[in-house]
Amino acid sequence: MAIREPDPDEAARIREVVDSSMTTSFRLSPEQIDAVADEQFADDAVADALEDETTVLRVAETGEDIEEATITGVVEGRLAGDWGEVNWLFVDPEHRGQGIGTELYDAANEALRDEDAEYVCVTVLEANTEGHGFVERLGLEHDGDRRVDIAEESFVKYVYTDPDVDATLPNESTTEDADEESFPETESTDGNLTTTDDGETVYVARDEAESGTAASFYVTYEDADLTEQYGFYCANCGSLDISMDNMDRLECGDCGNTHAERSGESYDESYL
């Protein structure tokens, strides 16, 4: 295995790895995957990353010999003040189980520190069902949530840091705290956050949230005392059309925002 900086003309292969990895490991629609991959890893985006002095882009190349070598993983990180952020890490599903993810993380970590990053954090999309377990196996801990706009959609990212680090996380101008989200289609009624469903007032409990791939879901009630549960509210679009299956998976019928509990059983060790 070789870890190296890619050439601009390898963007197409990088995009293939990103597509296949996201399709396997991300709880996103095909349209969302295409939009994220287009914005973050299209030809121009790869070329810009390679020219940007604050960005680290590395690929893993595996093969028996030079002629058979192919890109099987990619990692992207950026400098943000004293921090280095590992924002994207993908491993081709067909080549997992070879330690590629760990090698890529180590390479990005080292490169960011070589660029004077004092600390390094990792951000993982809420929808990346396997990535969270991978990062936790590296010894990092969930240290906050961040809302980011990618391809004109809002997503939640979990931020992971070394538990021994005591420093303020970077807060780029393109992000905001995931807890500070807006509540579309709502109004304040006697100090309560409310919305309506066929003319009926529904009360939104702002302190009872479930994470979602695009925005949080909030428990709703029929009464201001929040005793009779009504259902759920989607903070991405303001809809009350939320379904729940027998695995407690939530899905918005209007915008496709979803939530599913993460567990150790969903972690695939081959990602390492």
Side-chain angles (χ1 to χ4, degrees):
M1 183 193 311
I3 306 296
R4 60 174 176 81
E5 186 175 275
D7 295 325
D9 60 6
E10 294 177 306
R13 174 55 188 164
I14 291 173
R15 170 64 189 269
E16 289 177 358
V17 171
V18 172
D19 278 339
S20 60
S21 180
M22 292 187 71
T23 299
T24 300
S25 304
F26 285 57
R27 194 182 299 276
L28 295 175
S29 69
E31 292 77 17
Q32 287 175 314
I33 290 173
D34 284 343
V36 172
D38 281 342
E39 179 171 300
Q40 301 293 311
F41 293 96
D43 292 1
D44 291 346
V46 170
D48 289 344
L50 291 172
E51 293 179 359
D52 185 357
E53 295 182 355
T54 65
T55 300
V56 169
L57 187 63
R58 299 288 186 272
V59 295
E61 187 177 60
T62 59
E64 294 296 329
D65 52 46
I66 296 178
E67 292 183 356
E68 295 182 358
T70 184
I71 292 174
T72 54
V74 59
V75 64
E76 185 256 30
R78 297 178 186 271
L79 291 173
D82 292 336
W83 284 86
E85 298 186 6
V86 179
N87 291 316
W88 301 103
L89 194 159
F90 303 100
V91 178
D92 189 333
E94 294 184 3
H95 294 85
R96 292 181 180 176
Q98 303 176 36
I100 295 172
T102 303
E103 292 288 339
L104 284 169
Y105 168 74
D106 288 343
N109 192 331
E110 181 179 353
L112 288 167
R113 292 186 184 278
D114 286 345
E115 295 296 329
D116 297 328
E118 187 172 353
Y119 315 105
V120 174
C121 65
V122 179
T123 64
V124 181
L125 278 186
E126 160 71 20
N128 185 352
T129 57
E130 295 179 4
H132 300 280
F134 166 70
V135 173
E136 289 165 359
R137 286 292 293 268
L138 294 172
L140 305 182
E141 294 183 355
H142 182 203
D143 195 23
D145 297 344
R146 176 185 296 174
R147 184 165 301 283
V148 296
D149 292 329
I150 305 173
E152 299 183 352
E153 286 201 51
S154 179
F155 296 92
V156 172
K157 272 193 169 188
Y158 286 16
V159 183
Y160 291 87
T161 61
D162 187 318
D164 295 330
V165 171
D166 183 16
T168 302
L169 288 169
N171 186 19
E172 296 180 354
S173 60
T174 56
T175 68
E176 61 182 17
D177 191 305
D179 292 333
E180 298 176 356
E181 57 194 340
S182 61
F183 295 87
E185 306 297 329
T186 62
E187 61 183 22
S188 180
T189 304
D190 296 328
N192 297 305
L193 187 68
T194 63
T195 185
T196 58
D197 188 17
D198 291 333
E200 180 179 353
T201 299
V202 177
Y203 296 83
V204 181
R206 279 178 280 193
D207 59 349
E208 297 182 41
E210 297 285 359
S211 59
T213 54
S216 298
F217 292 96
Y218 292 84
V219 179
T220 58
Y221 292 87
E222 297 178 1
D223 59 308
D225 293 330
L226 308 183
T227 59
E228 298 293 330
Q229 185 171 346
Y230 183 84
F232 289 89
Y233 162 87
C234 173
N236 188 53
C237 67
S239 175
L240 295 172
D241 181 17
I242 314 300
S243 61
M244 175 185 286
D245 63 19
N246 57 7
M247 298 296 290
D248 292 336
R249 178 177 182 269
L250 302 174
E251 182 170 358
C252 177
D254 286 348
C255 71
N257 185 27
T258 60
H259 161 83
E261 292 290 345
R262 292 194 298 111
S263 70
E265 295 178 358
S266 70
Y267 168 62
D268 179 2
E269 283 193 6
S270 67
Y271 206 76
L272 294 169

